[in-house]
């Protein structure tokens, strides 16, 4: 079917992955850090411990090879709480990752677990809308913490 359809129909331009050059260029930006995310995007909690090690280490190795910089951040594939385990966190810690991001909605606070960091999801918006959402979310966090 893929041969019949042709490669242009397999991935929409808006959904394609970055090229190695784009990834290197992105990693050169001062406000952006590239993080690991595994090789094959498995639900880590559903695969054996040894396979988790492979997915995490090889994903990191490939990215480091491409951008020629160390990788110390991680984002869990799927990111919900049951998609990774305490063993997964241990693998990250033993491999000197600094932190890991989940898909749990929320703000990072001073007492947040560095290997279960929440995030704020912002989808399809203009830069103006993004800045408004970012400003609004930041003020909510400050207000909620009583600062």
């Amino acid at each position: 079917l893929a041969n019949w359809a042709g490669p242009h129909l397999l991935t929409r331009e808006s959904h394609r992955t970055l090229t190695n050059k784009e990834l290197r260029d992105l990693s050169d930006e001062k406000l952006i850090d590239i993080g690991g995310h595994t090789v094959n995007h498995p639900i880590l909690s559903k695969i054996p411990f040894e396979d988790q090690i492979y997915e995490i280490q090889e994903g990191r190795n490939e990215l480091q090879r491409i951008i020629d910089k160390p990788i110390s951040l991680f984002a869990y594939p799927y990111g919900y709480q049951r998609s990774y385990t305490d063993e997964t966190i241990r693998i990250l810690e033993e491999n000197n990752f600094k932190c890991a991001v989940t898909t749990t909605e929320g703000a990072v606070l001073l007492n947040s677990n560095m290997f279960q960091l929440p995030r704020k999801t912002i989808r399809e918006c203009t830069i103006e809308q993004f800045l408004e959402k970012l400003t609004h979310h930041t003020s909510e966090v400050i207000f909620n913490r009583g600062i």
Side-chain angles (χ1 to χ4, degrees), residues 117-132:
L117 294 173
R119 68 170 92 181
K120 178 69 175 167
T121 303
I122 299 176
R123 302 201 188 276
E124 299 183 33
C125 59
T126 66
I127 189 67
E128 292 80 13
Q129 291 168 328
F130 173 75
L131 291 172
E132 171 60 30

Side-chain angles (χ1 to χ4, degrees), residues 17 23 57 62 92 99 105 107 111 113 120 135 138:
T17 58
L23 190 56
Q57 289 178 343
E62 180 65 12
L92 294 171
C99 63
E105 187 77 16
N111 63 345
N113 181 322
K120 178 69 175 167
T135 302
T138 302

